[in-house]
Amino acid sequence: MKRSSITAVVAAMSIWLITGCLNGGVQVNNGDGPDESAAKPVTIVINSLGMTFPPGMDENDNPYLHYIETHTGLDIGVVLPPQQVYEEKLDVLMSSGSVPDLIHTFDPVWLDGYAKRKALLPLESLIDRFGPALKELIPEEAWEQVSYNGHIYAVPSLNEVPGTEIVYARKDWLDRLGMKPPVTLDEYYEVIRAFTLDDPDGNGADDTLGLIMTENLGRSGPFFGAFGTQLDRWLERDGRLVYGSVLPETKEALAFFARLYGEGLLDPEFPLNRLKNLHDKIENGVVGLYSATWYDTRGPIAASKAKDPSAEWIALPYPTGKDGRNGTYAQEMIRGYNVVPAGAANPEGVIRMLNFIAGEGHRTLKLGFENEIWSLQDGRIVTNFAEHDKHLYRGMYQALVDVKDPVLFKQRLDSLGDFDLYDNLRRIEAHAIPNAFTGAPTEAMSKYRAKLNELKMEELFTKIVMGIEPLDAFDRFAEQWREAGGDEMTREVNEWYARKNKESEGAIP
């Protein structure tokens, strides 16, 4: 069940790599906020999201942290565990005997485990007293996902985007080969084959890749969607919920990828491709088609056009399989969780800080300081990109408790230039396949987590695609998953689904 927490980190990073921006100037107290001379200490443990600070600044000394402190009367001490071992470090902190006031996690099963061990403080009374903006801006469905036995154990941070992946292709290559944008999975196969073998760039060399992915089958969502499935998602089938990673349709998708790999049509280096490798290959003009993120038009695709002005990229219809199936995974409603460990010194300060981030400070923390990072010109937000790129680090604070503001979100995206960012998201939204299970983690999810992770799904699926393992190894994996706790997890998920449907039927229209 690791994939969802990794996805959350990537989602959080994506938002801030394209929309974060802040200035190095210090905001002073204008009398609207508490007096800093009476500042109360609060210690928070958060994820850096891979961000760095300009010279002379760090996580505890920068203008946006000072902005939060000035307006809340808090002296905030920030701890940034290494990203590679972030969740492991949280466990160490919880057992240290000296807990911080706030811990931010992306892992709902981690939250579930500590809540049920009574290692976290219930927060509802604190939210009632010090979190009016949190109560107003976070929907009831999100609170339900962080509640156990009538108590709230986390303040959730919401996902602003409906999904991540959208397929892009080189239109100039399609034109050169006399091909139309593909729609069906069969048409996709033909385009991928031609992009690999038919010299689409016209340089006479065998140096193009029809399709590229990243390690652990990254950037594959739309192709699984053509088979009506998604990895690590619960899907509805005939009134019951089933786990996408063990469906027969997933085996069919792996067979499709294995065919591409066996015929040399899929980048042979995909098991080693990290994000930088993918970006480099796109920028250097060797990739014809891939599942992009919605913000890649401002990243590697823009770099590709800058390097080769003849490169023309277009968004494609989602590949459509039999019975008209298509789509990609939707983002979860919640991307992160703020918890207060039992024994924390200043739980009130935590809620006051989060309430400010979500409420009064939301616009400034989202956009940056006005007339330094952005300005309003003819009713439109105009971004100073030099400052924007210099001060992305603000995102690690603002993302603690993100809330949805569709108007402001569109204004920010439009201010970044003509990269079709908003249009990309609307296209993804129309084809997003939601996770049908939206409840708190079940008992089995916590109980069997380690055992299920030992099955190493992504490693096995990669070997199947490469032909190292036979396709039928998928059947063995599915059986092992069921025996290792998957059947019990499926039973619990469907008990939740039945309760939810019963409650919906009893609701007053």
Side-chain angles (χ1 to χ4, degrees):
M1 301 292 291
K2 288 180 180 178
R3 187 180 179 92
S4 58
S5 59
I6 294 171
T7 302
V9 176
V10 172
M13 289 176 64
S14 73
I15 292 289
W16 285 101
L17 287 175
I18 69 132
T19 63
C21 52
L22 75 107
N23 180 272
V26 176
Q27 189 91 344
V28 297
N29 190 346
N30 59 10
D32 295 331
D35 183 358
E36 281 191 288
S37 64
K40 300 177 182 179
V42 59
T43 302
I44 66 174
V45 178
I46 64 177
N47 195 298
S48 71
L49 306 180
M51 303 192 187
T52 58
F53 294 87
M57 297 184 196
D58 60 34
E59 64 271 21
N60 284 295
D61 185 11
N62 63 77
Y64 280 86
L65 181 63
H66 298 329
Y67 170 74
I68 299 171
E69 291 175 321
T70 297
H71 286 78
T72 59
L74 296 169
D75 179 12
I76 302 171
V78 182
V79 178
L80 299 180
Q83 266 197 291
Q84 298 82 353
V85 292
Y86 184 80
E87 298 293 339
E88 292 89 336
K89 290 293 185 183
L90 301 190
D91 289 329
V92 173
L93 286 165
M94 288 297 292
S95 61
S96 68
S98 180
V99 294
D101 296 302
L102 175 145
I103 289 178
H104 189 87
T105 179
F106 295 104
D107 188 345
V109 178
W110 186 95
L111 162 64
D112 176 76
Y114 282 105
K116 290 176 178 175
R117 283 151 56 184
K118 301 189 184 303
L120 306 176
L121 284 182
L123 301 177
E124 59 273 6
S125 62
L126 289 167
I127 293 169
D128 284 342
R129 293 174 62 195
F130 306 110
L134 300 176
K135 293 179 67 174
E136 177 186 354
L137 298 169
I138 296 175
E140 183 61 30
E141 184 179 354
W143 291 119
E144 290 174 359
Q145 293 185 40
V146 295
S147 297
Y148 305 87
N149 299 319
H151 294 295
I152 295 171
Y153 283 98
V155 174
S157 181
L158 306 182
N159 261 316
E160 273 197 303
V161 299
T164 301
E165 294 187 31
I166 178 171
V167 184
Y168 264 79
R170 288 283 298 264
K171 183 179 182 301
D172 53 312
W173 287 12
L174 288 171
D175 292 344
R176 184 175 287 116
L177 297 174
M179 305 184 80
K180 295 180 179 179
V183 177
T184 68
L185 199 59
D186 289 340
E187 291 170 350
Y188 262 83
Y189 170 81
E190 293 299 333
V191 168
I192 291 168
R193 183 185 181 282
F195 278 3
T196 307
L197 303 177
D198 295 348
D199 191 25
D201 57 359
N203 68 356
D206 181 14
D207 59 356
T208 55
L209 299 169
L211 177 66
I212 188 171
M213 297 194 304
T214 59
E215 59 183 343
N216 297 324
L217 300 183
R219 302 302 184 86
S220 61
F223 293 96
F224 279 101
F227 292 90
T229 187
Q230 290 293 317
L231 297 181
D232 197 23
R233 292 293 190 273
W234 291 92
L235 307 170
E236 192 274 335
R237 292 287 189 276
D238 300 322
R240 285 182 54 80
L241 299 191
V242 293
Y243 191 54
S245 297
V246 296
L247 291 181
E249 294 95 319
T250 295
K251 182 179 180 181
E252 294 175 16
L254 294 176
F256 174 77
F257 288 127
R259 177 189 181 191
L260 294 180
Y261 188 89
E263 295 178 7
L265 309 183
L266 173 61
D267 180 11
E269 296 178 348
F270 88 87
L272 303 176
N273 281 339
R274 298 202 170 186
L275 200 58
K276 185 178 187 308
N277 305 87
L278 177 132
H279 286 183
D280 287 346
K281 291 175 180 180
I282 294 164
E283 179 179 353
N284 291 328
V286 299
V287 176
L289 182 152
Y290 81 113
S291 184
T293 65
W294 60 274
Y295 49 89
D296 274 3
T297 47
R298 192 174 179 265
I301 289 176
S304 165
K305 294 179 178 180
K307 194 162 189 175
D308 177 7
S310 69
E312 184 181 356
W313 289 86
I314 58 169
L316 297 180
Y318 279 88
T320 301
K322 58 185 178 181
D323 302 323
R325 295 172 175 173
N326 64 41
T328 187
Y329 60 89
Q331 288 289 2
E332 305 286 5
M333 172 181 284
I334 299 174
R335 76 182 190 200
Y337 307 83
N338 300 282
V339 304
V340 178
N346 192 1
E348 172 189 327
V350 169
I351 301 304
R352 288 174 50 218
M353 179 191 71
L354 296 177
N355 188 73
F356 176 77
I357 291 172
E360 182 186 345
H362 175 71
R363 184 177 178 84
T364 294
L365 290 169
K366 272 286 190 183
L367 297 180
F369 293 135
E370 187 174 3
N371 297 324
E372 295 178 345
I373 297 302
W374 65 278
S375 60
L376 202 60
Q377 299 178 18
D378 298 325
R380 180 184 177 92
I381 294 174
V382 177
T383 299
N384 180 331
F385 287 106
E387 293 300 317
H388 171 102
D389 294 337
K390 180 180 177 183
H391 295 286
L392 292 170
Y393 64 87
R394 178 180 92 256
M396 71 180 70
Y397 309 111
Q398 195 283 321
L400 282 175
V401 55
D402 212 348
V403 293
K404 293 189 176 182
D405 186 338
V407 173
L408 183 61
F409 187 57
K410 185 178 187 304
Q411 286 177 325
R412 284 195 302 139
L413 295 186
D414 291 346
S415 78
L416 296 171
D418 188 15
F419 297 106
D420 297 319
L421 298 174
Y422 189 76
D423 289 344
N424 283 347
L425 285 172
R426 297 289 72 78
R427 188 186 295 253
I428 292 171
E429 185 174 32
H431 296 275
I433 300 172
N435 190 346
F437 176 70
T438 59
T442 70
E443 292 282 351
M445 288 178 182
S446 298
K447 181 179 179 181
Y448 297 111
R449 178 184 187 181
K451 198 172 182 180
L452 291 168
N453 285 339
E454 288 175 1
L455 299 179
K456 298 181 179 179
M457 176 193 76
E458 291 161 337
E459 180 179 324
L460 174 64
F461 286 6
T462 298
K463 289 180 178 178
I464 289 174
V465 171
M466 297 176 70
I468 298 172
E469 291 279 359
L471 183 61
D472 287 344
F474 174 86
D475 300 319
R476 294 198 301 273
F477 164 79
E479 183 62 28
Q480 289 172 337
W481 181 87
R482 288 189 285 268
E483 293 174 351
D487 277 346
E488 189 172 336
M489 196 158 59
T490 300
R491 177 180 58 79
E492 292 177 347
V493 164
N494 277 283
E495 289 172 353
W496 168 88
Y497 192 56
R499 289 194 302 271
K500 179 186 176 186
N501 288 339
K502 188 174 181 179
E503 290 170 0
S504 297
E505 291 169 1
I508 298 174

